[in-house]
Amino acid sequence: MDFNGSDTIPGPRTEDHLPHTAQAAAKIVIVGGFGVGKTTMVGSVSEIRPLTTEETMTQAGIGVDDNYGSESKTATTVAMDFGRISITDQLVLYLFGTPGQQRFWFLWNGLFEGALGAVVLVDTRRLEVSFDVIGRLEERGVPFVVAVNSFPDAPRYPIPQLRTALDLTEDIPMVECDVRRRASSRDVLLTLMRFLHSLTMTGSRT
Ligand SMILES: Nc1nc2c(ncn2[C@@H]2O[C@H](COP(=O)(O)OP(=O)(O)O)[C@@H](O)[C@H]2O)c(=O)[nH]1
Ligand SMILES: [Mg+2]
């Protein structure tokens, strides 16, 4: 399948109906720490109005959720975000955003059921959440790509340095992104789809 044809991707949120050309659907999970941009990403790429379960932060998160860098955030996703994007005329992705903090791990069991792959969103100010998330994905054998969401006040590191810090092998794609931008979020998903495609090709040769 050709995932380079980003020109064929329809504009934002024009319709709620599946394109009549759609032939296949895949479930993709977007995971990362609190305030890393999961809800923003699903919102920026989704063609349907995203479903989100933002709630005003409660006592449960105080002292548990590390708010560093996002102190002004008063809502957090308690369960998940849901959206949809037609990545080509034929292929539709269903996006599920889910929190990476340990206290939400119970949600992972159902959510990762049938998922083709995952995007790990990383904030360089709080890499420790990413360690946990990446470890869990590796345990589960879920293929993933890593997207570094570039916040203006976050320290910037070259990708190879981040790769070492996150203990990722060369084969795991890493990209920088600004998930507020639709094109950037879409590029992250295309990176994941190309990666999944390459795994299929490798698998078919062995
Ligand atoms: N500057 C900047 N702000 C961002 C970016 N992505 C998300 N934000 C903001 O960071 C906050 C947290 O994002 P959100 O999507 O709610 O994070 P979530 O907890 O992972 O769902 C929101 O106020 C976003 O507008 C980004 O790439 N750059
Ligand atoms: Mg959220």
Side-chain angles (χ1 to χ4, degrees):
M1 206 176 293
D2 176 14
F3 296 114
N4 294 318
S6 52
D7 292 341
T8 59
I9 293 173
R13 241 165 277 163
T14 48
E15 49 179 311
D16 277 2
H17 303 290
L18 267 181
H20 64 278
T21 48
Q23 289 172 2
K27 177 177 175 180
I28 300 298
V29 181
I30 297 164
V31 65
F34 170 72
V36 74
K38 300 177 297 293
T39 303
T40 308
M41 183 176 188
V42 173
S44 76
V45 286
S46 184
E47 294 152 10
I48 56 173
R49 196 214 286 234
L51 198 69
T52 188
T53 53
E54 294 273 332
E55 275 196 359
T56 305
M57 272 165 63
T58 60
Q59 289 293 115
I62 296 172
V64 180
D65 284 330
D66 177 5
N67 289 10
Y68 178 70
S70 48
E71 292 84 354
S72 61
K73 196 163 141 53
T74 53
T76 188
T77 305
V78 290
M80 63 173 200
D81 305 293
F82 174 74
R84 190 193 78 200
I85 177 174
S86 315
I87 208 88
T88 65
D89 283 346
Q90 292 90 29
L91 179 64
V92 173
L93 302 185
Y94 288 100
L95 308 174
F96 294 79
T98 193
Q101 299 95 300
Q102 215 160 3
R103 68 191 169 93
F104 292 112
W105 281 3
F106 70 95
L107 288 170
W108 282 40
N109 293 331
L111 209 58
F112 274 90
E113 196 82 38
L116 209 59
V119 171
V120 178
L121 270 183
V122 170
D123 179 345
T124 55
R125 293 167 296 183
R126 287 168 296 147
L127 280 185
E128 62 287 348
V129 182
S130 317
F131 293 132
D132 289 348
V133 166
I134 288 168
R136 289 273 291 179
L137 291 175
E138 284 172 345
E139 263 169 40
R140 286 171 168 260
V142 179
F144 63 91
V145 298
V146 172
V148 183
N149 196 17
S150 323
F151 288 86
D153 49 344
R156 301 185 79 96
Y157 305 103
I159 289 284
Q161 202 175 326
L162 278 175
R163 186 183 291 285
T164 307
L166 292 170
D167 199 17
L168 292 171
T169 50
E170 282 296 323
D171 54 312
I172 308 288
M174 289 189 74
V175 287
E176 285 191 23
C177 63
D178 179 341
V179 294
R180 294 168 303 175
R181 292 177 39 234
R182 177 178 155 82
S184 182
S185 295
R186 193 190 60 198
D187 284 346
V188 171
L189 293 171
L190 285 167
T191 301
L192 175 63
M193 296 318 287
R194 286 192 204 101
F195 179 54
L196 294 174
H197 185 55
S198 75
L199 292 180
T200 325
M201 302 308 280
T202 318
S204 64
R205 263 187 267 130
T206 51

